Amino acid sequence: YFRDSESGKVQAMYGSQASEALGRAIFGSYNLFLGMENWLGLANNSADTAQVQVIVNGPNGSKEEVFSLEASGSAVLPLHDTERFGTQADSYGTVELRITEGANVFGQIMRLHSSGGAPDFAAPTLAR
């Protein structure tokens, strides 16, 4: 749920389906048309730290980031961040995740649109 900080009213909501963490290489897509933000959510379901290589492929090439995701930890990355991931408004592309052998990492990309400073559309897509 996305709630208004003053009134507490629900502004937007979404639901995620349960999904199994699927191995060492998983893929997803981002779409920044119509003023969308895209957020990559990651969860490490392992008892050990996982090394995650995030490769974002877009119209201007690829950008890569490698980081550690602690045991039972999570992270949310802004795929719409042009400087960090090389993405740009009104474009789309793919996201590739390479995960340490033996780790179980779940990935989901949240497409989010705001109007008047409040979220009005939220749709999760699984990375598989």
Side-chain angles (χ1 to χ4, degrees):
Y1 294 96
F2 295 92
R3 294 190 175 273
D4 181 279
S5 61
E6 294 179 17
S7 69
K9 291 182 180 179
V10 173
Q11 297 173 317
M13 59 181 264
Y14 70 92
S16 293
Q17 257 185 318
S19 180
E20 182 180 359
L22 293 174
R24 294 188 53 210
I26 55 179
F27 302 87
S29 65
Y30 71 89
N31 186 331
L32 300 177
F33 280 93
L34 303 174
M36 294 286 176
E37 292 180 348
N38 281 223
W39 297 88
L40 172 62
L42 300 170
N44 181 1
N45 299 322
S46 305
D48 297 313
T49 298
Q51 295 297 312
V52 180
Q53 177 185 23
V54 178
I55 304 164
V56 179
N57 303 296
N60 297 324
S62 297
K63 271 231 171 158
E64 179 181 318
E65 184 173 314
V66 178
F67 66 97
S68 295
L69 189 57
E70 65 186 36
S72 303
S74 63
V76 179
L77 306 175
L79 296 176
H80 53 276
D81 184 332
T82 300
E83 188 173 318
R84 186 171 179 182
F85 292 108
T87 56
Q88 62 188 35
D90 297 327
S91 71
Y92 61 90
T94 61
V95 179
E96 181 178 349
L97 305 170
R98 299 278 176 187
I99 291 79
T100 308
E101 186 173 346
N104 292 310
V105 174
F106 168 82
Q108 175 178 275
I109 298 169
M110 171 65 63
R111 294 190 176 130
L112 181 64
H113 184 269
S114 297
S115 179
D120 65 354
F121 175 85
T125 61
L126 286 177
R128 300 175 186 235

